[in-house]
Amino acid sequence: MQNIKYLILLITILLIASATISFSQNKINRSKLYSDFALKKSRQEYKNELNEKIKSVFGKELSSSNEDEWKSLFREVGLYYYRTG
């Protein structure tokens, strides 16, 4: 009798746990997923801005007054995995 009560309790706990886990998960509505950067137009605009910044910064001589500008450019280029051509 004790084993049956234990078994029923165990099954009940497992059912509650599995129901809680499955009902608590957020369902993703794929039709509402959206990212500005993922749009081809936005990527192209960003790449054009980055190219202009490269031309601007590389046109200047590196000095202590514009060191942060150079660091920022290298960080952006590294993040974008920039490739010529």
XYZ file of all heavy atoms in Angstrom:
706
model
N 0.824 -1.195 0.000
C 0.000 0.000 0.000
C 0.866 1.256 0.000
O 0.550 2.205 -0.689
C -0.917 -0.040 1.229
C -1.953 1.017 1.230
S -3.095 0.680 -0.094
C -4.353 1.784 0.278
N 1.928 1.207 0.778
C 2.852 2.340 0.861
C 3.526 2.580 -0.491
O 3.703 3.712 -0.891
C 3.905 2.060 1.952
C 4.844 3.204 2.213
C 4.157 4.370 2.905
O 3.067 4.229 3.466
N 4.768 5.525 2.831
N 3.882 1.476 -1.187
C 4.523 1.586 -2.489
C 3.583 2.189 -3.535
O 4.016 2.942 -4.398
C 5.011 0.221 -2.978
C 6.219 -0.251 -2.200
O 6.909 0.549 -1.571
N 6.457 -1.551 -2.207
N 2.319 1.867 -3.465
C 1.342 2.400 -4.418
C 1.173 3.904 -4.210
O 1.131 4.675 -5.167
C -0.013 1.657 -4.289
C 0.147 0.200 -4.720
C -1.079 2.354 -5.134
C -1.070 -0.643 -4.519
N 1.084 4.343 -2.951
C 0.965 5.773 -2.653
C 2.213 6.520 -3.158
O 2.114 7.602 -3.720
C 0.801 5.999 -1.156
C -0.560 5.643 -0.643
C -0.658 5.949 0.833
C -2.009 5.548 1.400
N -2.113 5.850 2.816
N 3.364 5.938 -2.943
C 4.617 6.538 -3.392
C 4.645 6.636 -4.920
O 5.043 7.661 -5.482
C 5.810 5.721 -2.876
C 7.140 6.237 -3.341
C 7.685 7.398 -2.799
C 7.840 5.568 -4.329
C 8.901 7.874 -3.229
C 9.059 6.036 -4.779
C 9.594 7.199 -4.223
O 10.803 7.664 -4.656
N 4.205 5.591 -5.602
C 4.169 5.562 -7.052
C 3.194 6.604 -7.603
O 3.500 7.321 -8.556
C 3.797 4.159 -7.544
C 3.819 3.930 -9.040
C 5.206 4.170 -9.605
C 3.356 2.520 -9.367
N 2.020 6.717 -7.001
C 1.028 7.709 -7.429
C 1.569 9.125 -7.215
O 1.419 9.999 -8.065
C -0.312 7.491 -6.697
C -0.956 6.192 -7.179
C -1.246 8.678 -6.922
C -2.191 5.790 -6.412
N 2.218 9.344 -6.084
C 2.805 10.646 -5.790
C 3.896 10.987 -6.808
O 3.956 12.102 -7.322
C 3.384 10.660 -4.369
C 4.065 11.946 -3.933
C 3.065 13.094 -3.897
C 4.716 11.756 -2.581
N 4.728 10.042 -7.121
C 5.801 10.235 -8.079
C 5.250 10.554 -9.474
O 5.710 11.478 -10.146
C 6.695 8.992 -8.139
C 7.916 9.073 -9.033
C 8.856 10.164 -8.556
C 8.626 7.737 -9.051
N 4.236 9.820 -9.899
C 3.620 10.059 -11.209
C 2.972 11.439 -11.247
O 3.092 12.176 -12.228
C 2.593 8.940 -11.540
C 3.329 7.624 -11.793
C 1.739 9.328 -12.740
C 2.426 6.430 -11.933
N 2.304 11.807 -10.171
C 1.655 13.124 -10.087
C 2.692 14.240 -10.187
O 2.502 15.214 -10.925
C 0.865 13.250 -8.770
O -0.057 12.172 -8.669
C 0.132 14.575 -8.705
N 3.783 14.103 -9.473
C 4.842 15.122 -9.512
C 5.440 15.230 -10.915
O 5.652 16.330 -11.428
C 5.928 14.809 -8.459
C 5.360 15.029 -7.060
C 7.173 15.652 -8.676
C 6.273 14.584 -5.940
N 5.667 14.091 -11.548
C 6.212 14.108 -12.906
C 5.244 14.758 -13.896
O 5.659 15.510 -14.775
C 6.567 12.695 -13.355
C 7.792 12.066 -12.678
C 7.938 10.611 -13.107
C 9.043 12.848 -13.010
N 3.960 14.462 -13.763
C 2.966 15.075 -14.651
C 2.903 16.591 -14.453
O 2.842 17.351 -15.428
C 1.591 14.451 -14.427
C 1.387 13.043 -14.984
C 0.033 12.491 -14.543
C 1.481 13.060 -16.496
N 2.898 17.015 -13.206
C 2.850 18.460 -12.922
C 4.110 19.145 -13.443
O 4.039 20.209 -14.056
C 2.662 18.704 -11.406
C 1.264 18.271 -10.988
C 2.899 20.174 -11.064
C 1.032 18.287 -9.495
N 5.265 18.524 -13.220
C 6.521 19.112 -13.677
C 6.567 19.219 -15.193
O 6.946 20.252 -15.752
C 7.703 18.294 -13.166
N 6.176 18.175 -15.887
C 6.221 18.215 -17.354
C 5.196 19.200 -17.910
O 5.465 19.891 -18.889
C 6.017 16.823 -17.937
O 4.731 16.339 -17.622
N 4.026 19.294 -17.303
C 3.015 20.249 -17.755
C 3.485 21.677 -17.509
O 3.305 22.557 -18.359
C 1.693 19.996 -17.052
N 4.097 21.906 -16.365
C 4.595 23.249 -16.040
C 5.676 23.677 -17.015
O 5.675 24.806 -17.500
C 5.155 23.276 -14.601
O 4.129 22.855 -13.699
C 5.625 24.657 -14.218
N 6.572 22.789 -17.321
C 7.660 23.115 -18.235
C 7.123 23.397 -19.641
O 7.502 24.369 -20.281
C 8.708 21.980 -18.272
C 9.457 21.929 -16.946
C 9.677 22.162 -19.427
C 10.327 20.707 -16.773
N 6.230 22.579 -20.124
C 5.743 22.764 -21.496
C 4.844 23.982 -21.627
O 4.862 24.660 -22.651
C 5.017 21.511 -21.983
O 3.857 21.294 -21.220
N 4.061 24.307 -20.620
C 3.172 25.462 -20.704
C 3.882 26.778 -20.416
O 3.441 27.831 -20.828
C 1.973 25.310 -19.766
C 1.009 24.257 -20.214
C 0.594 23.276 -19.336
C 0.513 24.238 -21.502
C -0.301 22.295 -19.737
C -0.382 23.260 -21.913
C -0.791 22.288 -21.018
N 4.996 26.726 -19.696
C 5.672 27.970 -19.325
C 6.634 28.463 -20.391
O 7.106 29.581 -20.315
C 6.442 27.775 -18.020
O 7.500 26.865 -18.214
N 6.943 27.651 -21.386
C 7.864 28.087 -22.431
C 7.202 29.143 -23.302
O 6.045 29.025 -23.673
C 8.300 26.904 -23.291
C 9.174 25.935 -22.556
C 9.593 24.778 -23.449
O 9.195 24.711 -24.600
N 10.372 23.872 -22.909
N 7.990 30.179 -23.608
C 7.484 31.226 -24.489
C 7.454 30.703 -25.916
O 8.427 30.180 -26.416
C 8.388 32.463 -24.434
C 8.299 33.154 -23.104
O 7.297 33.058 -22.425
N 9.354 33.849 -22.740
N 6.336 30.866 -26.538
C 6.198 30.453 -27.930
C 6.650 31.620 -28.805
O 6.247 32.757 -28.603
C 4.759 30.075 -28.261
C 4.182 28.999 -27.366
C 4.930 27.699 -27.514
C 4.299 26.641 -26.625
N 5.125 25.524 -26.350
N 7.502 31.361 -29.765
C 8.032 32.408 -30.636
C 7.163 32.515 -31.876
O 6.936 31.538 -32.573
C 9.488 32.096 -31.029
C 10.375 32.099 -29.798
C 9.992 33.097 -32.064
C 11.789 31.655 -30.064
N 6.684 33.703 -32.112
C 5.916 33.977 -33.314
C 6.898 34.417 -34.400
O 7.353 35.549 -34.425
C 4.883 35.069 -33.037
C 3.984 35.299 -34.216
O 4.233 34.799 -35.312
N 2.927 36.061 -34.001
N 7.239 33.518 -35.291
C 8.260 33.797 -36.301
C 7.859 34.918 -37.256
O 8.720 35.569 -37.835
C 8.585 32.529 -37.081
C 9.251 31.487 -36.227
C 9.642 30.271 -37.050
N 10.089 29.185 -36.202
C 11.345 29.004 -35.832
N 12.258 29.848 -36.206
N 11.670 27.986 -35.066
N 6.587 35.167 -37.405
C 6.167 36.231 -38.316
C 6.472 37.615 -37.740
O 6.520 38.591 -38.472
C 4.676 36.113 -38.623
O 3.920 36.345 -37.450
N 6.689 37.704 -36.424
C 6.974 38.994 -35.796
C 8.462 39.212 -35.547
O 8.846 40.246 -35.013
C 6.210 39.112 -34.477
C 4.717 39.202 -34.674
C 4.009 39.438 -33.376
C 2.512 39.563 -33.608
N 1.791 39.850 -32.373
N 9.299 38.242 -35.917
C 10.735 38.423 -35.764
C 11.205 39.466 -36.766
O 10.873 39.411 -37.940
C 11.484 37.114 -35.996
C 11.332 36.056 -34.928
C 12.091 34.797 -35.321
C 11.823 36.551 -33.586
N 12.008 40.420 -36.290
C 12.408 41.517 -37.156
C 13.692 42.125 -36.626
O 13.849 42.317 -35.432
C 11.291 42.570 -37.162
C 11.586 43.758 -38.021
C 11.358 43.704 -39.385
C 12.090 44.923 -37.478
C 11.611 44.792 -40.189
C 12.348 46.017 -38.278
C 12.109 45.949 -39.630
O 12.370 47.023 -40.422
N 14.588 42.433 -37.507
C 15.832 43.093 -37.134
C 16.192 44.092 -38.211
O 16.287 43.737 -39.382
C 16.958 42.070 -36.976
O 18.190 42.729 -36.868
N 16.394 45.356 -37.814
C 16.765 46.373 -38.792
C 18.071 46.024 -39.494
O 18.220 46.231 -40.683
C 16.917 47.743 -38.122
C 15.575 48.364 -37.796
O 14.584 47.997 -38.447
O 15.524 49.215 -36.893
N 19.049 45.501 -38.727
C 20.345 45.212 -39.328
C 20.253 44.073 -40.336
O 21.025 44.034 -41.278
C 21.384 44.864 -38.265
C 22.757 44.717 -38.836
C 23.493 45.829 -39.196
C 23.306 43.471 -39.056
C 24.751 45.708 -39.749
C 24.563 43.336 -39.607
C 25.292 44.457 -39.956
N 19.299 43.179 -40.143
C 19.184 42.032 -41.052
C 18.655 42.438 -42.424
O 18.812 41.699 -43.383
C 18.284 40.963 -40.438
N 18.055 43.596 -42.510
C 17.556 44.049 -43.798
C 18.724 44.425 -44.701
O 19.684 45.055 -44.280
C 16.640 45.257 -43.627
C 15.371 45.016 -42.815
C 14.608 46.310 -42.626
C 14.501 43.988 -43.509
N 18.658 44.022 -45.955
C 19.748 44.268 -46.896
C 20.044 45.763 -47.014
O 21.196 46.179 -47.056
C 19.396 43.685 -48.264
C 20.514 43.778 -49.258
C 20.166 43.084 -50.551
C 21.356 43.158 -51.495
N 21.103 42.423 -52.727
N 19.005 46.573 -47.034
C 19.172 48.027 -47.157
C 19.959 48.573 -45.968
O 20.877 49.379 -46.142
C 17.805 48.693 -47.244
C 17.851 50.184 -47.352
C 16.458 50.778 -47.383
C 16.517 52.287 -47.330
N 15.200 52.871 -47.193
N 19.647 48.129 -44.770
C 20.332 48.605 -43.572
C 21.786 48.152 -43.553
O 22.674 48.910 -43.159
C 19.624 48.117 -42.316
O 18.334 48.656 -42.236
N 22.040 46.919 -43.960
C 23.415 46.428 -44.014
C 24.239 47.243 -45.000
O 25.385 47.597 -44.730
C 23.445 44.948 -44.404
C 23.008 44.011 -43.311
C 23.361 42.564 -43.639
N 23.075 42.157 -44.999
C 21.945 41.579 -45.392
N 20.991 41.327 -44.524
N 21.771 41.240 -46.647
N 23.651 47.556 -46.151
C 24.359 48.330 -47.168
C 24.633 49.744 -46.671
O 25.718 50.278 -46.891
C 23.566 48.357 -48.482
C 24.343 48.923 -49.634
C 25.613 48.136 -49.932
O 25.602 46.909 -49.969
N 26.714 48.834 -50.124
N 23.663 50.361 -45.995
C 23.858 51.705 -45.444
C 24.983 51.692 -44.412
O 25.832 52.582 -44.404
C 22.570 52.218 -44.802
C 21.501 52.610 -45.790
C 20.188 52.975 -45.114
O 20.126 53.008 -43.864
O 19.210 53.224 -45.845
N 24.990 50.675 -43.548
C 26.033 50.570 -42.535
C 27.401 50.396 -43.189
O 28.380 51.030 -42.797
C 25.748 49.414 -41.583
C 26.814 49.244 -40.529
C 26.858 50.090 -39.433
C 27.778 48.241 -40.635
C 27.836 49.960 -38.466
C 28.763 48.099 -39.676
C 28.783 48.955 -38.592
O 29.752 48.826 -37.640
N 27.477 49.573 -44.208
C 28.743 49.341 -44.906
C 29.218 50.625 -45.586
O 30.404 50.943 -45.548
C 28.596 48.218 -45.931
C 29.903 47.799 -46.538
C 29.749 46.565 -47.404
C 31.096 46.174 -47.985
N 31.009 44.983 -48.815
N 28.307 51.378 -46.191
C 28.678 52.644 -46.822
C 29.196 53.636 -45.782
O 30.195 54.323 -46.023
C 27.488 53.238 -47.585
C 27.130 52.442 -48.813
O 27.927 51.655 -49.312
N 25.909 52.616 -49.291
N 28.522 53.727 -44.641
C 28.981 54.616 -43.562
C 30.359 54.195 -43.055
O 31.218 55.035 -42.788
C 27.978 54.619 -42.405
C 26.678 55.301 -42.729
C 25.632 55.107 -41.637
O 25.966 54.617 -40.537
O 24.465 55.443 -41.893
N 30.568 52.895 -42.939
C 31.853 52.385 -42.476
C 32.952 52.703 -43.485
O 34.051 53.117 -43.106
C 31.764 50.878 -42.230
C 32.983 50.204 -41.609
C 33.327 50.837 -40.267
C 32.722 48.716 -41.427
N 32.664 52.566 -44.770
C 33.645 52.911 -45.801
C 34.014 54.388 -45.743
O 35.187 54.752 -45.894
C 33.114 52.557 -47.197
C 33.219 51.088 -47.501
O 34.119 50.414 -47.024
N 32.294 50.588 -48.295
N 33.024 55.244 -45.545
C 33.297 56.681 -45.430
C 34.156 56.971 -44.203
O 35.068 57.799 -44.250
C 31.987 57.478 -45.376
C 31.224 57.487 -46.673
C 32.038 58.059 -47.823
O 32.711 59.096 -47.637
O 32.023 57.461 -48.915
N 33.869 56.300 -43.109
C 34.645 56.501 -41.885
C 36.086 56.024 -42.084
O 37.033 56.661 -41.626
C 33.994 55.758 -40.720
C 34.581 56.089 -39.378
C 33.760 55.479 -38.259
C 34.323 55.850 -36.897
N 33.562 55.274 -35.812
N 36.252 54.903 -42.789
C 37.595 54.387 -43.081
C 38.379 55.416 -43.887
O 39.533 55.736 -43.567
C 37.513 53.040 -43.836
C 37.026 51.936 -42.896
C 38.867 52.667 -44.433
C 36.684 50.640 -43.606
N 37.768 55.948 -44.932
C 38.445 56.949 -45.760
C 38.803 58.187 -44.943
O 39.899 58.745 -45.077
C 37.568 57.342 -46.944
C 37.405 56.249 -47.971
C 36.422 56.664 -49.054
C 36.107 55.503 -49.975
N 35.062 55.839 -50.953
N 37.896 58.604 -44.094
C 38.111 59.798 -43.286
C 39.239 59.603 -42.269
O 40.137 60.429 -42.162
C 36.808 60.156 -42.558
O 37.027 61.155 -41.611
N 39.180 58.512 -41.531
C 40.162 58.283 -40.464
C 41.529 57.947 -41.046
O 42.556 58.448 -40.571
C 39.681 57.173 -39.496
C 40.763 56.811 -38.507
C 38.434 57.630 -38.761
N 41.584 57.112 -42.076
C 42.875 56.752 -42.660
C 43.524 57.934 -43.384
O 44.719 57.926 -43.654
C 42.743 55.566 -43.611
C 42.651 54.236 -42.922
C 42.401 53.089 -43.643
C 42.819 54.105 -41.550
C 42.322 51.848 -43.029
C 42.748 52.887 -40.920
C 42.490 51.755 -41.664
N 42.736 58.941 -43.698
C 43.280 60.142 -44.328
C 43.998 61.040 -43.345
O 44.683 61.977 -43.732
N 43.851 60.773 -42.061
C 44.483 61.580 -41.016
C 45.697 60.841 -40.476
O 45.742 59.617 -40.458
C 43.500 61.821 -39.861
C 42.227 62.506 -40.247
C 41.288 62.555 -39.069
C 39.924 63.092 -39.461
N 38.986 63.041 -38.340
N 46.641 61.609 -40.013
C 47.807 61.004 -39.372
C 47.451 60.641 -37.933
O 46.766 61.395 -37.247
C 48.979 61.989 -39.377
C 50.261 61.378 -38.877
C 51.439 62.322 -39.030
O 51.445 63.102 -40.003
O 52.319 62.266 -38.175
N 47.890 59.476 -37.495
C 47.612 59.034 -36.129
C 48.355 59.922 -35.141
O 49.553 60.144 -35.261
C 48.040 57.574 -35.944
C 47.866 56.977 -34.548
C 46.405 57.013 -34.118
C 48.403 55.561 -34.501
N 47.604 60.451 -34.193
C 48.198 61.271 -33.138
C 47.420 61.038 -31.856
O 46.373 60.383 -31.848
C 48.166 62.748 -33.529
O 46.835 63.201 -33.582
N 47.906 61.592 -30.772
C 47.226 61.398 -29.489
C 45.852 62.061 -29.474
O 44.953 61.639 -28.750
C 48.085 61.928 -28.336
O 48.343 63.305 -28.518
N 45.649 63.075 -30.315
C 44.355 63.769 -30.335
C 43.262 62.962 -31.046
O 42.077 63.134 -30.766
C 44.494 65.139 -30.993
O 44.877 64.991 -32.345
N 43.647 62.082 -31.974
C 42.633 61.300 -32.679
C 42.785 59.795 -32.447
O 42.256 58.986 -33.193
C 42.626 61.630 -34.166
C 43.907 61.231 -34.871
O 44.804 60.647 -34.282
N 43.982 61.551 -36.156
N 43.483 59.432 -31.395
C 43.704 58.019 -31.081
C 42.398 57.275 -30.846
O 42.214 56.149 -31.324
C 44.597 57.917 -29.850
C 44.912 56.512 -29.419
C 45.776 56.475 -28.161
O 46.270 57.524 -27.732
O 45.926 55.376 -27.614
N 41.462 57.890 -30.135
C 40.172 57.241 -29.862
C 39.383 56.994 -31.137
O 38.676 55.993 -31.263
C 39.346 58.077 -28.884
C 39.914 58.067 -27.483
O 40.646 57.105 -27.148
O 39.643 59.012 -26.715
N 39.515 57.899 -32.085
C 38.824 57.740 -33.369
C 39.364 56.511 -34.109
O 38.603 55.732 -34.678
C 39.031 59.007 -34.199
C 38.081 59.183 -35.329
C 38.253 60.534 -36.013
O 39.081 61.357 -35.590
O 37.546 60.738 -37.008
N 40.679 56.330 -34.094
C 41.299 55.159 -34.723
C 40.877 53.874 -34.017
O 40.552 52.882 -34.660
C 42.834 55.296 -34.704
C 43.366 56.185 -35.780
C 43.327 57.544 -35.810
C 44.012 55.780 -36.979
N 43.918 58.009 -36.952
C 44.355 56.946 -37.689
C 44.345 54.547 -37.516
C 44.994 56.909 -38.913
C 45.007 54.512 -38.733
C 45.313 55.681 -39.424
N 40.881 53.882 -32.694
C 40.474 52.691 -31.928
C 39.038 52.312 -32.260
O 38.710 51.139 -32.445
C 40.605 52.943 -30.432
C 42.005 52.932 -29.917
C 41.989 53.178 -28.404
C 43.375 53.269 -27.834
N 43.342 53.551 -26.380
N 38.172 53.310 -32.301
C 36.765 53.072 -32.614
C 36.605 52.450 -33.998
O 35.823 51.512 -34.187
C 35.995 54.384 -32.527
O 34.675 54.222 -32.970
N 37.358 52.973 -34.955
C 37.283 52.445 -36.316
C 37.726 50.982 -36.363
O 37.057 50.142 -36.960
C 38.130 53.277 -37.264
C 38.232 52.743 -38.690
C 36.862 52.789 -39.362
C 39.254 53.514 -39.478
N 38.847 50.678 -35.721
C 39.328 49.293 -35.723
C 38.333 48.355 -35.043
O 38.132 47.222 -35.465
C 40.705 49.189 -35.062
C 41.823 49.721 -35.915
C 42.720 50.634 -35.407
C 41.968 49.303 -37.229
C 43.750 51.114 -36.195
C 42.993 49.782 -38.025
C 43.891 50.695 -37.506
N 37.689 48.833 -34.005
C 36.678 48.023 -33.317
C 35.500 47.736 -34.247
O 35.035 46.602 -34.358
C 36.201 48.750 -32.064
C 35.360 47.915 -31.151
C 34.993 48.644 -29.856
N 36.156 49.209 -29.177
C 36.386 50.524 -29.020
N 35.528 51.410 -29.488
N 37.454 50.963 -28.396
N 35.031 48.770 -34.939
C 33.901 48.584 -35.853
C 34.247 47.660 -37.007
O 33.456 46.803 -37.385
C 33.440 49.932 -36.409
C 32.610 50.726 -35.443
C 32.021 51.958 -36.112
O 31.333 51.791 -37.145
O 32.251 53.057 -35.603
N 35.439 47.844 -37.573
C 35.865 46.999 -38.683
C 35.972 45.553 -38.215
O 35.543 44.626 -38.905
C 37.200 47.497 -39.275
C 37.777 46.477 -40.238
C 37.001 48.824 -39.975
N 36.511 45.344 -37.029
C 36.623 43.996 -36.482
C 35.270 43.365 -36.225
O 35.068 42.177 -36.460
N 34.319 44.149 -35.760
C 32.978 43.631 -35.503
C 32.258 43.274 -36.788
O 31.487 42.336 -36.842
C 32.153 44.639 -34.713
C 32.558 44.845 -33.266
C 31.732 45.974 -32.651
C 32.363 43.568 -32.463
N 32.526 44.009 -37.821
C 31.833 43.788 -39.083
C 32.527 42.724 -39.935
O 31.991 42.281 -40.938
C 31.734 45.100 -39.866
C 30.789 45.027 -41.034
C 29.416 45.054 -40.825
C 31.257 44.910 -42.328
C 28.537 44.968 -41.891
C 30.386 44.831 -43.397
C 29.032 44.861 -43.170
O 28.153 44.783 -44.221
N 33.728 42.308 -39.536
C 34.534 41.382 -40.343
C 34.723 41.931 -41.740
O 34.459 41.275 -42.743
C 33.922 39.976 -40.404
C 33.795 39.322 -39.082
C 32.548 39.109 -38.517
C 34.918 38.900 -38.378
C 32.411 38.498 -37.284
C 34.788 38.282 -37.147
C 33.540 38.090 -36.609
O 33.417 37.487 -35.409
N 35.137 43.145 -41.790
C 35.260 43.879 -43.053
C 36.255 43.214 -43.992
O 37.340 42.830 -43.586
C 35.696 45.320 -42.777
C 35.729 46.181 -44.004
C 34.550 46.705 -44.514
C 36.920 46.431 -44.648
C 34.571 47.476 -45.646
C 36.945 47.210 -45.788
C 35.773 47.734 -46.284
O 35.792 48.496 -47.406
N 35.861 43.074 -45.241
C 36.724 42.545 -46.290
C 36.649 43.478 -47.487
O 35.559 43.907 -47.855
C 36.288 41.143 -46.727
C 36.573 40.091 -45.694
C 36.110 38.769 -46.202
N 34.819 38.534 -45.553
C 33.924 37.666 -45.955
N 34.137 36.934 -46.997
N 32.798 37.504 -45.303
N 37.760 43.756 -48.101
C 37.734 44.591 -49.307
C 37.351 43.719 -50.485
O 37.606 42.537 -50.511
C 39.107 45.232 -49.558
O 40.078 44.203 -49.695
C 39.493 46.166 -48.440
N 36.747 44.348 -51.465
C 36.426 43.627 -52.687
C 35.143 43.002 -52.726
O 34.207 42.637 -52.508
